Amino acid sequence: MSNYKIDSDRMARTGVPEIIFGETKSIDQLVMILKEMIRKKVPAIASRVSPEKAERLKDFFPKSEYFKTAKIFMAQKIKFSKTKKVAVVAAGTSDVDIAEEARVLLEVLGCGTESFYDVGVAGIQRLFKVLPKIRKAKVVVVVAGMEGALPSVLAGLVKAPIIAVPTAVGYGTGLGGFSSLLTMLNTCAPGVTVVNIDNGVGAAISAYKILNV
Amino acid sequence: MSNYKIDSDRMARTGVPEIIFGETKSIDQLVMILKEMIRKKVPAIASRVSPEKAERLKDFFPKSEYFKTAKIFMAQKIKFSKTKKVAVVAAGTSDVDIAEEARVLLEVLGCGTESFYDVGVAGIQRLFKVLPKIRKAKVVVVVAGMEGALPSVLAGLVKAPIIAVPTAVGYGTGLGGFSSLLTMLNTCAPGVTVVNIDNGVGAAISAYKILNV
Amino acid sequence: MSNYKIDSDRMARTGVPEIIFGETKSIDQLVMILKEMIRKKVPAIASRVSPEKAERLKDFFPKSEYFKTAKIFMAQKIKFSKTKKVAVVAAGTSDVDIAEEARVLLEVLGCGTESFYDVGVAGIQRLFKVLPKIRKAKVVVVVAGMEGALPSVLAGLVKAPIIAVPTAVGYGTGLGGFSSLLTMLNTCAPGVTVVNIDNGVGAAISAYKILNV
Amino acid sequence: MSNYKIDSDRMARTGVPEIIFGETKSIDQLVMILKEMIRKKVPAIASRVSPEKAERLKDFFPKSEYFKTAKIFMAQKIKFSKTKKVAVVAAGTSDVDIAEEARVLLEVLGCGTESFYDVGVAGIQRLFKVLPKIRKAKVVVVVAGMEGALPSVLAGLVKAPIIAVPTAVGYGTGLGGFSSLLTMLNTCAPGVTVVNIDNGVGAAISAYKILNV
Amino acid sequence: MSNYKIDSDRMARTGVPEIIFGETKSIDQLVMILKEMIRKKVPAIASRVSPEKAERLKDFFPKSEYFKTAKIFMAQKIKFSKTKKVAVVAAGTSDVDIAEEARVLLEVLGCGTESFYDVGVAGIQRLFKVLPKIRKAKVVVVVAGMEGALPSVLAGLVKAPIIAVPTAVGYGTGLGGFSSLLTMLNTCAPGVTVVNIDNGVGAAISAYKILNV
Amino acid sequence: MSNYKIDSDRMARTGVPEIIFGETKSIDQLVMILKEMIRKKVPAIASRVSPEKAERLKDFFPKSEYFKTAKIFMAQKIKFSKTKKVAVVAAGTSDVDIAEEARVLLEVLGCGTESFYDVGVAGIQRLFKVLPKIRKAKVVVVVAGMEGALPSVLAGLVKAPIIAVPTAVGYGTGLGGFSSLLTMLNTCAPGVTVVNIDNGVGAAISAYKILNV
Amino acid sequence: MSNYKIDSDRMARTGVPEIIFGETKSIDQLVMILKEMIRKKVPAIASRVSPEKAERLKDFFPKSEYFKTAKIFMAQKIKFSKTKKVAVVAAGTSDVDIAEEARVLLEVLGCGTESFYDVGVAGIQRLFKVLPKIRKAKVVVVVAGMEGALPSVLAGLVKAPIIAVPTAVGYGTGLGGFSSLLTMLNTCAPGVTVVNIDNGVGAAISAYKILNV
Amino acid sequence: MSNYKIDSDRMARTGVPEIIFGETKSIDQLVMILKEMIRKKVPAIASRVSPEKAERLKDFFPKSEYFKTAKIFMAQKIKFSKTKKVAVVAAGTSDVDIAEEARVLLEVLGCGTESFYDVGVAGIQRLFKVLPKIRKAKVVVVVAGMEGALPSVLAGLVKAPIIAVPTAVGYGTGLGGFSSLLTMLNTCAPGVTVVNIDNGVGAAISAYKILNV
């Protein structure tokens, strides 16, 4: 696509770099776009890059780094100044991929993170064990599929703003994540905002912006 | 409606009396049906009877009793043998009407109940305060609108079977109770079964049946 | 996932063991989790385990048992005290897999079961032939796809509480089981509670809890 | 609306007269349209005419007849040749209005009918009592709200074609009749066709056409 | 599934044989069920049988016949008395498979048919060319995907009852056939009844029942 | 609302004036906005103005004109140069209000119109009678509720671009106009574009823009 | 409801006071709850209080303050320490009520705000005029109904985190705010999080929490 | 399908040739239909032809031309008279395929086009750079997935009529393009009409018709 227009001053305007969505782009498109980004001296990062694609991209970008569970590919390391801490919380084992997408992107952007996985509401004592640590975070990203109840419970327990990420984990009436999304939107505990289903990148960018307020 | 057919042997077949749905029936229809029930010696109970309708029905049934919050009308007192205890739990103030519908009907059917209202997940410490008492119940009916997360949390904490009742409480994406219903169906904690939105009667009948297992 | 946290006291809290959802977990994850469960002396049972996965898991768990139609894998036999009888009823041939998931899990948990398959409402005389036997059960689990009418009919005929399981069987407007689910939620016969689409595990756990009331 | 175009040869083309939908039309519009119909010598019949509207229309049409439960208004009696019998079956008390809309329109069109009301599946023995009579009908119109299971059960028991009419009766997840509609479309018993929710007129016209095959 | 219960007296009760849904059944299940049907002397017909399955089934049933476009498999020829004529109309090229499913099953059941394909509303003059022939049919089955407008147009032009079959043909907002289904249910022309999306079998059985009124 | 910002150069930018949506605005808001528009010398037109509101607005704008069926209020007459002709076609009597909204606005904007009402597909011969006249139009606006099939049929018969307006007319599965909208979006006849349900104003503005191409 | 349990330590746990939802509560309930809050020395604030209710509440709370457009009632003034600035942006005139709910609550909680109303995307030059001022805010709350595109545009232009509030403004396919909600969730510009439809309170609480990070 | 009926006078009636939908047709069907079209001297064009199919079709049509990104196959070159210019605008890289489908078909039909890709609202300055060129077009086709906000922004900036094409690009709550479609239908900027999701062909045909007004 010679038509692709790099939005090279996005960082100046919005404070965050553009993250290329790798899932629907070919190797050729990704190479061209990432190279153009390096040439324009903007951070060259792609999300939803499969291990197979990453393997092939590495040949073009010797200084690249790839995060497998998070599916994030950095064509070149960039220095971001270190900022305050984000807690990344996941309800179930199956929510970890999206949680890692958010967590790794935050680390890449220079934000310290701590992760708390497998603390869903079905065994709420697991949450209470790690609660003192979560309470120390400046922002809390909560990732949950199934019934998505974890952000509601946490919002009643912590002072930090909560960014809830519904995931498509579930079956039957899970509706590809819509059940979890609806739960989060209808939370009776204020202080929760929501991003799109499986949108770990969006949660990370919003958390990053909040830390820079 | 001279066409109405009393299902007079339902109690023999199913162990529970027929509960007349009062909302869509006229005073004339209700009087006719309830009188026929008394004549056939089956329990004459109607749900969703507005205070206005109840006022007018009392003239026809001097031995009747009316429960205002629960909107349940008994045309004639019936003796049911006392059974074991049901905990009726409600998440928010606005869920109390449906909780009372279930609770009163259970009492009317001879089941002892204890109610725990306003213990939603936004302030989960309120739930933990009453948890030891809830744990003593044989069956737990949980009524919740908004995000409907309460049954999931409780199912991870008690041994009794849980009957979850979603309510239409909420706004925006509440979808008239569907959000709460979906949360309950997608619970990650097994041991929860669900009835229709606002169906306090159905929850009570099922709890009653369980107690008679 | 070294992050997986076994909820080892769930049985003490809720009376039922945790059932691992095998469909979205890798062999490595399953082996690690099941071994940890055995080490912590909690029942090690996984659902939705494909025959291929089961074949590979057997190498790690020599005392294991696998139920093919039900897709349930027990890493180690556990003794549960025998309880009262559950009738597992399925409407059509295609509903049998989910019915078996519920039935086998109940047997594994020590509950006696009897199954009645292929008794859907299109040929209702088939139901009446087995009705006397179904009436002897303490709890009835009814599994139905397509229009999901079977629980409504049964609820008017038996005294036991009914747990209805909608299945994704159907096409066109079946909506992946939603049509059947809506039918069951809107039943005109009280005494029916519902679990998620294809949730045989949830139905079994609820039936088990009811038997222990 | 002087723009209204009477489709005066519809009867010649389709074998059935046009039935004017009275609910959304003013008295003025109805009078003008019905008079034009009489002038063009086509049957002048309107459906969904409220008692209040009917009262006012009678002044304009002295030879008119009004059917209150069915809400059908005939501006002038028309002779149709008598045809074979239709059974009109309704599941619950609240489905009777729509059932009467179909039944009265059939009688008006010259078709003999017999009605069987309050025979829903929650007490299926009521259906079996009247089944021999229903089996004598040439066409069966089945009206049901709530879970809408009655047509499925009947389709497995009778030889006549069944026209199923879902009604908006219900609450919670009834979805204004959609639950009942989906049940009927997903029936496991072939031989059932469906019309729109609350469309008693459509069912009657189709039954009438079938009788004239 | 040794549990499969042949509904061997369905023909006596409903006037139509059971049609086995072949799509979700294995070769083993189909052979067992079809053999049992032959043994019980009921018509042994399966729908949605893929060419691959049909090839393998032929080895078990030497007297069988297979209809490729219609995907219907008759394990054994049965004589049905010839009845009156059905017009099977399809809107587009892609609707032909479902139209053939209905048409072949009707022929198999002894009903004469005539087919009119590719006469959708985008070129309505094509419909008018064949209209005189369609008008001679006793029943009209209309199959249409996309916007599904054909039944509405035909219902204003013919006297025969119309059975409309929505198909899943389409894309974008076609919603897997729901758009077409909604069009048919909302038709402004009465005399149309509808079956489930892609349910050619249901349409054929209903047409067959209508011809036997 | 002193905060309201008149978009006074919209006409220069887009070629069309802003049409104020009157339904959700108070008399005070409308007077203030319309006066501001007159002061800034931009056309002062409001849609969805009820007769009651229009009556009160007239006191403030002596040179105003009100179109009752179309519910359009012009605070002051404006001269637009006369352009070519638009055909406004409506399927049923109940679609006329929205058709008039489009037609009157077009006339107000200086576009000649001709209207063809009550020509729905249930009696398609009515459409063919006026077809030669419709064919003379430069743009065709087609307004239809119920099944919304009219644009599909017309698109196969005329050369002009067609703007389809679904209306909320219907009941049962009409879904407040969504059924009609889906029909129009899924048309098998290209050359149809669609605006929002009941959006007569949008259709008129688009037709006006097309005439000025 | 003597059962109402004040969550008196919520402020200590979550950093924000409980905001009572006034819409579904009676005067009696509100008086009781607000008095209890004052007694427990927690901020006594209610949202969605109609002018009529506010009038009656004032008699009970002489030190109260009421904000009409925002529908917020403070039973007693509370001092919050002043924090940094929030921009509250609204797309259209009809979105102002919800914008004011968020803005007033923020002011009440001690956050400085600046509002920018009527800057929707249909006249995007209006947005650019105020953009330099919006860029100075620490957090941006964007309220939009109809197509809800404003947050996407803003997210590409500012550094602050954006909290998007969909409103129920719209008609036809607006789906009571769902269209706007979906637009916001699907934004191609990261840095946007979303709250429930019309949830001005939730947006304010989240903005407040972010300012206190 | 020997049943396929070429609509050979469609061009005379509607001014546009029939475009064959290639996706659901076999090579055999396509060859037969395209040959018949050539024989009847109507333009022989197919859309949604995969590269594999195109390769095989070329053997049958030596004078054919294939456009890979647009997936359009012309069996034989046809001369259309050159008309005025259309701007084809795409929001993101992933929307280009559908944009090309529209653009190529317009060129094939003799309409000059200019394309503007990757100008989505997340970096709105990219749009403003090309705006002067877009303003010169007679018609603007705007293709956008994700939140679909681009047509709303453009409609406030240009005089030409806008045809919006939602695409299925997106994930989570994108609903296969429905989110984008709803955004476009609910636009607050009039002058936008919409076609089905991914319907580049429909947009091109409508633009072509508008240019010939």
Side-chain angles (χ1 to χ4, degrees), chain H residues 79-122:
Chain H
K79 276 268 153 62
F80 290 89
S81 57
K82 277 279 165 194
T83 67
K84 289 163 288 180
K85 205 182 70 184
V86 178
V88 179
V89 184
T93 312
S94 312
D95 302 316
V96 169
D97 285 16
I98 299 301
E100 281 291 290
E101 183 180 72
R103 198 189 63 74
V104 167
L105 185 53
L106 279 163
E107 289 285 349
V108 161
L109 295 174
C111 302
T113 63
E114 190 165 5
S115 62
F116 307 90
Y117 295 165
D118 230 337
V119 294
V121 298

Side-chain angles (χ1 to χ4, degrees), chain E residues 120-125 128 145-149 152-157 170-175 178-179 182-190, chain F residues 120-125 128 145-149 152-157 170-175 178-179 182-190:
Chain E
V121 297
I124 208 165
Q125 77 291 349
F128 283 104
M146 302 290 287
E147 86 273 63
S152 286
V153 173
L154 262 175
L157 296 168
Y171 62 97
T173 56
L175 294 172
F178 255 93
S179 286
L182 289 170
T183 306
M184 293 167 176
L185 287 169
N186 286 284
T187 179
C188 54
Chain F
V121 299
I124 208 165
Q125 77 292 348
F128 284 104
M146 303 290 286
E147 84 273 65
S152 287
V153 172
L154 261 175
L157 296 169
Y171 62 95
T173 58
L175 293 171
F178 254 92
S179 286
L182 289 170
T183 306
M184 292 169 177
L185 287 169
N186 286 285
T187 177
C188 53

Side-chain angles (χ1 to χ4, degrees), chain D residues 32-113:
Chain D
M32 197 200 64
I33 295 169
L34 292 170
K35 282 200 169 162
E36 181 73 4
M37 288 176 132
I38 292 171
R39 204 182 60 77
K40 292 213 170 163
K41 296 190 194 311
V42 298
I45 306 170
S47 69
R48 302 285 166 96
V49 175
S50 66
E52 295 72 30
K53 277 187 183 172
E55 202 57 47
R56 294 186 50 198
L57 286 175
K58 277 178 188 168
D59 298 343
F60 295 88
F61 303 98
K63 294 179 188 170
S64 66
E65 190 164 0
Y66 179 63
F67 304 87
K68 193 177 169 186
T69 314
K71 289 188 184 158
I72 284 178
F73 183 87
M74 291 184 73
Q76 210 181 34
K77 273 205 191 146
I78 304 113
K79 275 269 155 59
F80 292 88
S81 58
K82 276 281 167 192
T83 68
K84 291 163 287 181
K85 204 182 71 184
V86 179
V88 179
V89 184
T93 311
S94 313
D95 302 315
V96 168
D97 285 14
I98 299 302
E100 281 292 290
E101 183 181 72
R103 198 190 62 75
V104 167
L105 185 53
L106 278 163
E107 289 284 348
V108 161
L109 295 173
C111 302
T113 62

Side-chain angles (χ1 to χ4, degrees), chain F residues 74-149:
Chain F
M74 289 185 74
Q76 210 181 33
K77 272 202 190 148
I78 303 112
K79 275 268 153 60
F80 291 88
S81 56
K82 277 280 165 193
T83 67
K84 291 163 288 179
K85 206 181 69 185
V86 178
V88 179
V89 184
T93 310
S94 312
D95 301 316
V96 168
D97 284 16
I98 299 302
E100 281 291 290
E101 183 181 69
R103 199 189 63 74
V104 166
L105 185 53
L106 279 162
E107 290 284 350
V108 161
L109 296 173
C111 303
T113 62
E114 190 166 6
S115 62
F116 307 90
Y117 294 164
D118 232 335
V119 294
V121 299
I124 208 165
Q125 77 292 348
R126 295 175 297 185
L127 179 65
F128 284 104
K129 276 183 200 150
V130 294
L131 189 57
K133 284 187 185 166
I134 296 175
R135 277 186 168 142
K136 285 179 189 148
K138 297 294 180 187
V139 181
V140 181
V141 172
V142 188
V143 183
M146 303 290 286
E147 84 273 65

Side-chain angles (χ1 to χ4, degrees), chain A residues 11-165:
Chain A
M11 192 130 186
R13 285 194 334 269
T14 70
V16 283
E18 190 174 358
I19 311 299
I20 302 303
F21 187 66
E23 194 168 293
T24 56
K25 298 201 179 62
S26 67
I27 295 287
D28 286 359
Q29 287 178 320
L30 284 171
V31 169
M32 199 201 62
I33 294 170
L34 292 170
K35 283 200 169 163
E36 181 74 3
M37 287 177 132
I38 292 171
R39 205 181 60 76
K40 293 213 169 162
K41 297 190 195 311
V42 299
I45 306 170
S47 69
R48 301 286 164 95
V49 175
S50 67
E52 294 73 31
K53 277 188 182 172
E55 203 57 48
R56 293 186 51 198
L57 286 175
K58 276 178 188 167
D59 297 344
F60 295 88
F61 303 98
K63 295 178 189 169
S64 65
E65 191 164 0
Y66 179 62
F67 304 87
K68 194 175 166 186
T69 314
K71 289 189 184 158
I72 284 179
F73 183 87
M74 290 185 73
Q76 211 182 33
K77 275 206 187 142
I78 304 113
K79 276 269 153 61
F80 291 88
S81 56
K82 277 279 166 192
T83 66
K84 290 163 288 180
K85 205 182 70 185
V86 178
V88 179
V89 184
T93 310
S94 312
D95 302 315
V96 169
D97 284 16
I98 298 302
E100 281 291 290
E101 183 180 70
R103 198 190 63 74
V104 167
L105 185 53
L106 278 163
E107 289 284 349
V108 162
L109 296 174
C111 302
T113 62
E114 190 166 6
S115 61
F116 306 90
Y117 295 164
D118 231 335
V119 293
V121 298
I124 208 164
Q125 78 292 350
R126 294 176 297 185
L127 178 67
F128 283 105
K129 275 182 201 152
V130 294
L131 189 58
K133 284 187 186 167
I134 296 174
R135 276 186 168 141
K136 286 179 189 150
K138 297 294 181 188
V139 181
V140 181
V141 171
V142 189
V143 183
M146 303 290 288
E147 85 274 64
L150 189 54
S152 286
V153 173
L154 262 175
L157 296 169
V158 303
K159 288 187 180 170
I162 290 178
I163 299 170
V165 190

Side-chain angles (χ1 to χ4, degrees), chain E residues 98-162:
Chain E
I98 299 302
E100 282 291 292
E101 183 180 73
R103 197 190 64 74
V104 166
L105 185 53
L106 278 163
E107 289 285 350
V108 161
L109 296 174
C111 302
T113 63
E114 189 165 7
S115 62
F116 307 89
Y117 296 164
D118 231 335
V119 293
V121 297
I124 208 165
Q125 77 291 349
R126 295 177 296 187
L127 178 66
F128 283 104
K129 275 183 201 151
V130 295
L131 189 57
K133 283 187 185 166
I134 296 175
R135 278 187 168 138
K136 286 179 188 149
K138 297 294 183 187
V139 181
V140 181
V141 171
V142 188
V143 182
M146 302 290 287
E147 86 273 63
L150 190 53
S152 286
V153 173
L154 262 175
L157 296 168
V158 304
K159 289 187 179 168
I162 289 179

Side-chain angles (χ1 to χ4, degrees), chain B residues 36-186:
Chain B
E36 180 74 3
M37 287 176 132
I38 292 171
R39 205 180 59 77
K40 293 212 170 162
K41 298 191 192 311
V42 299
I45 306 171
S47 69
R48 301 287 165 94
V49 175
S50 66
E52 294 72 31
K53 277 188 183 171
E55 204 55 48
R56 295 184 51 197
L57 286 175
K58 276 177 191 169
D59 298 345
F60 295 89
F61 303 97
K63 294 179 188 170
S64 64
E65 189 164 1
Y66 179 63
F67 304 87
K68 194 176 168 185
T69 315
K71 288 189 184 157
I72 285 179
F73 184 86
M74 289 185 73
Q76 210 181 33
K77 275 207 189 140
I78 304 114
K79 274 269 156 62
F80 291 88
S81 57
K82 275 280 165 191
T83 68
K84 289 163 289 178
K85 204 182 69 182
V86 178
V88 179
V89 184
T93 312
S94 313
D95 302 316
V96 168
D97 285 15
I98 299 301
E100 282 291 292
E101 183 180 71
R103 197 190 64 74
V104 167
L105 185 52
L106 279 163
E107 290 285 350
V108 161
L109 295 174
C111 302
T113 63
E114 189 166 7
S115 61
F116 307 89
Y117 296 164
D118 231 335
V119 293
V121 298
I124 208 165
Q125 75 291 347
R126 295 177 296 188
L127 178 66
F128 284 104
K129 275 185 201 148
V130 296
L131 189 56
K133 283 187 186 166
I134 296 175
R135 276 185 168 141
K136 286 180 189 148
K138 298 294 182 186
V139 181
V140 181
V141 171
V142 189
V143 183
M146 303 289 287
E147 85 273 62
L150 190 54
S152 286
V153 173
L154 261 175
L157 296 168
V158 303
K159 288 188 178 167
I162 290 178
I163 299 171
V165 190
T167 69
V169 172
Y171 62 97
T173 56
L175 294 171
F178 256 93
S179 286
S180 181
L181 168 67
L182 289 170
T183 305
M184 292 167 177
L185 287 169
N186 286 283

